[in-house]
Amino acid sequence: MGQTITASGESDAPDTTFEPGCIFCSIIAGKIPSALVRETERIFAFRDIAPQAPTHVLVIPKTHAYANAEQIAAGDPGLAAELLREAAAVAAAEGLAEDGYRIVFNTGDHAGQTVYHVHAHVLGGDPLGRFGTPAE
Ligand code: 5GP
Ligand code: ZN
């Protein structure tokens, strides 16, 4: 099935902007292996390689176009909402919905953001500690 080109010349195919130096883009492309949890047309969810809780899943858009939550909310509000819906779907599928879970968007250096391809951390499986304390 081919993609549709609209009258304005824009494609209706999902944005799959790829950044060669980005570890998450390489994971989406299958160039770096990952433990897949959930995938839709525009979203990819996989287990964090260094889990900070019994369940720790990263939920990302398949486009590199947005570095953080602020950018995706401003640039594509529908995709931002889908990212949150998929984070909730991951939590439900992982059995976290009843007891609760945390969704985290680290933003910038002081938050410890290391990958500048927007991602939601979904954390749960046990009572979580407090957050926001200074790094040691
Ligand atoms: P940030 O610190 O930017 O909020 O989150 C980046 C996350 O990506 C970290 O929790 C880190 O453990 C995870 N991560 C980094 N490299 C890889 C990888 O190659 N595979 C997986 N599954 N997770 C990764
Ligand atoms: Zn990327």
Side-chain angles (χ1 to χ4, degrees):
M1 201 172 74
Q3 67 185 50
T4 306
I5 307 296
T6 65
S8 65
E10 288 175 5
S11 164
D12 70 349
D15 177 7
T16 52
T17 304
F18 178 82
E19 170 61 44
C22 171
I23 199 157
F24 287 176
C25 284
S26 295
I27 284 173
I28 294 163
K31 295 175 192 297
I32 294 174
S34 68
L36 180 69
V37 172
R38 185 176 172 85
E39 183 174 13
T40 68
E41 193 180 31
R42 300 205 291 174
I43 303 288
F44 196 88
F46 57 102
R47 296 193 193 282
D48 197 293
I49 203 168
Q52 304 295 311
T55 300
H56 186 172
V57 177
L58 298 169
V59 186
I60 66 178
K62 289 182 176 175
T63 171
H64 187 86
Y66 311 106
N68 57 40
E70 178 184 341
Q71 286 185 15
I72 195 172
D76 191 339
L79 185 57
E82 193 178 336
L83 188 64
L84 287 176
R85 281 198 302 275
E86 289 303 322
V90 164
E94 294 287 311
L96 307 179
E98 189 174 339
D99 289 332
Y101 56 93
R102 184 172 291 157
I103 298 175
V104 173
F105 289 91
N106 290 326
T107 305
D109 287 348
H110 279 193
Q113 185 174 7
T114 56
V115 181
Y116 285 78
H117 177 138
V118 61
H119 51 282
H121 296 257
V122 177
L123 301 147
D126 259 340
L128 300 169
R130 297 296 301 167
F131 62 100
T133 50
E136 285 157 27

